Amino acid sequence: MTDTSIFKQWITNGTDRPFYARKRFVLERQPKKAAVAVCGLGQFQLFVNGKKVGDHVLDPAWTDYHKIIHYLTFDITPLLSPGENVIAAEVGNGWFLMDRSEGYSFHFPSFMPSNPNEYQPFGPVLMLAAHMVLDYGNGEVAEMDADETWKMAPHMVLHSNVFGSEIIDGTRRIPGWANACLEDEAWEHAFLVEASGEPKGVLQEQYIPGVKVIGTYEGTYLHQAEGRIVYDFSQNVSGMLEFDVIGKKGDVVRVYPAEKLNQNGGADQMAKNWLPIDVCETYIIGEDDVWEHFAMTFTYVGGRYVAVEGCCEKNLRNMKLHAISSAWEQAGHFYCDDARYMQVYDLIEKAVEANMVGVHTDCPTIERFAWQEENHLMAPAIMYMKKVPRHWEKFLADARAAQHTSEDYFFDHEGNAFYPGEGMIPSQAPCYMPNVLPVPGMGSFYDVIGWGSSIMIGTYWHYQFYGDKKIIEDNYEAGKMYLAYLKTKVNGDGFINHGLGDWGNPGGELARENVETVFLYADAKILSSFAEILGKAREAEELLQYAFAVKENYNQKLLVFDEKRNCRCYRVWNHPGEIFMTQAAEAMPLFWGMAPEEAEDDIAASLKYTLEKAGSFFSGEVGLPYIIQTMARYGMNDLICQMMMREEHPGYYAFVKDGETTLGEYWEKNPRSHCHDMMGHIAEWYYNGIAGIRPLEPGFGKVLVKPYLPKSMNEVRCSFESAKGMITVSMKRRGSEVALKVEAEDGIEVVVDRSNL
């Protein structure tokens, strides 16, 4: 149930369409402090006396509104004055009550089976709640809640789709709608939402940083193509469009965003091997021959280009794309004098920013889903670059909220109830369109150990970076439940093999049994360490024994001797009768400590063999971070440089050569999505490989600095603001020598190792 101590009731205009809401009130004197708690579902913006409150957009952060609802509290003291005042809000759809009537909304392409569990609205109408507290000092406090005395009017945004399309009608513009001087007698009174229609989630004050505008890109006119005017913003982003337009009342201007151009120079909205992402921003001109302003309000687009139809170039001006992100606070900075490395770094950072929008999305265009695997696979890379402790607390809370009970069910294709199982954590959290059935030939996209394991491995990385024991306390029980569920999925050979394995592998070698069973071991081992930290010695020992049994079985059945190379290696399970290896299958057990100590050097040599044989990172997103980190651990930094700088795929620099400004989804030209951060793991190596900054204890109170200077570089400067303070590493090549300077704030113990220089 909602926390009625925050909001007494919810108000609405009684529809599923965006609305304006306002309340005039008189202050006899200035309060010493004034604050207001607000929630508009799905998205809202707040105004006081005509001024926008706060620097956020798209509040509140997305959640499963049946479980958790975020509200925000704003200090509005400086915006009030004695006399007449007005508090106002605008509310749009978001995920709470998605409007799929126009434009693109996610759906499966024809080559995949239809989903019998489509999106379901979280409520019957859009709604708003507000609670204002005026503190006059000396114990005198006045309070005001949103109620039926508030006034409402239909918004000029007729349609807002969470995937990016908006229709804005300039003829319905209400100038000064948020100003106190506006006469609102003709506005309708608000309705109270009936108790049965109130949102079910528990109210929490939002703690993840709000989504902000982090940069603005000016549109450059390119040309006309396919009957449209094409603009280039130079950078692929998650962004909100803004421009001025002039024409005749009722003229319709349509704007089509895209990540790329087609062979005719037009906006190419076709996602490779998928379907058209036909997002459209529509503006209906309100007056004759007057410059009018268009600005997106309740959603955002993904892309670098736009194509405009319905007007000529001279009728457009101030074309801007505002990049948005909730990962706007820097933790790390990296510079080197090899421009190629900086270009790759920028691709990754921009992709991270574009996909951190209150949840960690997979892409700004096709899905916008909060897939969970990135929350552990990309955690170290992002945590070096950005200050994100509160982000991960929220991501993990979303995962806990999504964890299944024994009563939770969905439907199969015949309409029968399907119960995934108690303790299971879905691969998306929040999950708005649950695809619970395995896709023939591809595996399960809903129940994937490499995704659900974020509840433990994501917690592990948060603890390593921030040293906060509470993150373990918050997630330990959910981790135990998930491990108990995983044990029910272990097959007769002691492996898990129903998920996605090394997803994104260029050769389709997913090695499910190898990859997913490594995660089973890692989960048990991590959970054992958590139990020890929490003082649960008996549980710690039981979990450790289970991890040991998984490890023993894994090595007994997969660790083999390759007589041709006179070397031990891990074979891939689903290639019986041959020694078949993948880079992920060699690296992952090494990284997590599954390999017998006496076999480690052999397995590292086998990993190197697979790398040199392929000549590239021939891996999907799941194995890639472990490959890179294991290569660095076993002295293969030069090989990392060689492979990341390949000008053809697979290779990071290949994306630069392709003209991309963010990282693509897969190792290929023209990938399905051109803005995925899921393979940005190399950014972690910039910090812990090149700069060599690694924690020796959680929170970076004790740090190892073991840097490496690639042959193509002569200068590196790296800073990282850890939980304990700033750490900086500088290197400069002088002839055959490398000058190294390491600095750290007081209280950080630094161990320097120059063996890689």
Side-chain angles (χ1 to χ4, degrees), residues 67 76 120 124 142 144 189 191 252 327 336 350 371 407 420 493 536 568 574 633 655 678 697 703 731 754:
K67 305 288 183 65
I76 58 172
Q120 297 295 321
M144 184 179 76
H189 282 279
F191 300 98
V252 178
C336 72
K350 291 295 194 299
W371 293 99
E407 288 79 30
D493 292 303
K536 302 175 183 291
R568 281 168 288 192
N574 66 333
R633 183 189 299 177
F655 288 114
M678 73 178 195
E697 62 181 38
V703 178
M731 291 181 281
R754 292 181 55 99

Side-chain angles (χ1 to χ4, degrees), residues 202-249:
V202 174
L203 283 164
Q204 296 179 353
E205 185 164 8
Q206 182 167 307
Y207 50 89
I208 183 173
V211 177
K212 292 185 180 183
V213 172
I214 60 170
T216 297
Y217 296 88
E218 302 284 343
T220 300
Y221 170 77
L222 288 183
H223 49 245
Q224 292 196 28
E226 301 175 336
R228 299 171 179 171
I229 308 165
V230 180
Y231 290 85
D232 180 5
F233 293 97
S234 76
Q235 177 63 53
N236 196 1
V237 299
S238 290
M240 302 178 79
L241 280 165
E242 180 181 21
F243 58 85
D244 297 327
V245 61
I246 191 170
K248 298 297 182 181
K249 181 177 180 179

Side-chain angles (χ1 to χ4, degrees), residues 32-51:
K32 290 190 174 181
K33 187 173 182 180
V36 59
V38 186
C39 182
L41 295 175
Q43 316 285 179
F44 77 90
Q45 295 195 99
L46 182 70
F47 298 80
V48 172
N49 292 326
K51 295 182 179 179

Side-chain angles (χ1 to χ4, degrees), residues 585-616:
E586 304 308 311
M588 291 182 68
L590 273 178
F591 181 92
W592 285 113
M594 292 184 78
E597 185 176 350
E598 67 276 9
E600 285 186 22
D601 289 343
D602 269 13
I603 299 165
S606 295
L607 171 61
K608 187 175 183 181
Y609 169 78
T610 64
L611 290 158
E612 291 176 337
K613 183 178 179 181
S616 66

Side-chain angles (χ1 to χ4, degrees), residues 181-399:
C181 60
L182 178 78
E183 295 297 328
D184 58 13
E185 282 75 11
W187 288 37
E188 299 289 335
H189 282 279
F191 300 98
L192 290 182
V193 177
E194 295 182 2
S196 60
E198 287 189 357
K200 300 180 177 66
V202 174
L203 283 164
Q204 296 179 353
E205 185 164 8
Q206 182 167 307
Y207 50 89
I208 183 173
V211 177
K212 292 185 180 183
V213 172
I214 60 170
T216 297
Y217 296 88
E218 302 284 343
T220 300
Y221 170 77
L222 288 183
H223 49 245
Q224 292 196 28
E226 301 175 336
R228 299 171 179 171
I229 308 165
V230 180
Y231 290 85
D232 180 5
F233 293 97
S234 76
Q235 177 63 53
N236 196 1
V237 299
S238 290
M240 302 178 79
L241 280 165
E242 180 181 21
F243 58 85
D244 297 327
V245 61
I246 191 170
K248 298 297 182 181
K249 181 177 180 179
D251 286 351
V252 178
V253 179
R254 293 184 174 87
V255 184
Y256 300 90
E259 295 189 294
K260 59 189 185 298
L261 300 179
N262 60 28
Q263 60 184 5
N264 300 321
D268 185 354
Q269 293 188 309
M270 177 60 71
K272 183 177 182 180
N273 299 328
W274 197 257
L275 40 75
I277 312 301
D278 50 352
V279 169
C280 181
E281 310 312 309
T282 302
Y283 184 69
I284 302 168
I285 292 177
E287 298 183 62
D288 290 340
D289 305 320
V290 175
W291 283 102
E292 300 180 22
H293 188 64
F294 169 94
M296 296 183 69
T297 307
F298 301 121
T299 187
Y300 66 95
V301 298
R304 168 180 174 173
Y305 305 94
V306 296
V308 185
E309 70 178 21
C311 69
C312 56
E313 181 195 355
K314 68 179 182 180
N315 287 3
L316 292 167
R317 69 183 186 188
N318 299 328
M319 184 71 69
K320 297 176 182 178
L321 184 59
H322 302 292
I324 61 169
S325 180
S326 55
W328 40 262
E329 192 171 7
Q330 294 294 130
H333 297 271
F334 184 93
Y335 166 79
C336 72
D337 60 347
D338 188 330
R340 300 172 303 164
Y341 285 81
M342 297 309 300
Q343 288 171 304
V344 170
Y345 186 94
D346 191 58
L347 288 180
I348 297 167
E349 185 171 39
K350 291 295 194 299
V352 167
E353 290 169 349
N355 284 291
M356 298 283 274
V357 285
V359 298
H360 191 175
T361 64
D362 62 322
C363 62
T365 50
I366 306 162
E367 299 177 26
R368 287 193 187 178
F369 294 155
W371 293 99
Q372 292 293 291
E373 88 285 12
E374 297 161 338
N375 292 336
H376 70 89
L377 297 173
M378 276 295 293
I382 296 174
M383 290 172 180
Y384 274 120
M385 290 191 288
K386 305 289 186 180
K387 292 182 180 178
V388 288
R390 304 295 273 174
H391 298 69
W392 255 255
E393 290 169 25
K394 193 264 186 185
F395 301 160
L396 291 164
D398 287 337

